Amino acid sequence: MLPLLLLIWLIIGAIAAGQRGYYTDAAENCANAGTTIVTIVAGPLNYMGVNPKVEDCNPNLPQPSQ
């Protein structure tokens, strides 16, 4: 039963991403692709006001010492 619910959850998220036009716009960078992925993962939450976005794929990570 759980795998079926997960599949339905992801299908609803995929529909929401399609309605927002994320499939027609080519993914220019990883932020666009990330936004599409998190929208799909958010599933039905998209219809409850959640609008996930990925702004930057290059976080400022600390550099190793020299």
Side-chain angles (χ1 to χ4, degrees):
M1 186 70 169
L2 186 61
L4 180 62
L5 290 175
L6 180 62
L7 180 64
I8 292 170
W9 181 278
L10 294 175
I11 289 172
I12 292 171
I15 291 169
Q19 289 175 339
R20 292 181 179 168
Y22 293 158
Y23 299 132
T24 56
D25 299 334
E28 298 173 3
N29 56 33
C30 70
N32 292 349
T35 298
T36 303
I37 292 168
V38 296
T39 299
I40 293 170
V41 171
L45 298 176
N46 288 292
Y47 296 103
M48 295 179 204
V50 174
N51 188 12
K53 293 209 184 276
V54 175
E55 298 293 330
D56 187 14
C57 291
N58 298 320
N60 295 327
L61 298 175
Q63 298 298 317
S65 60
Q66 304 256 346

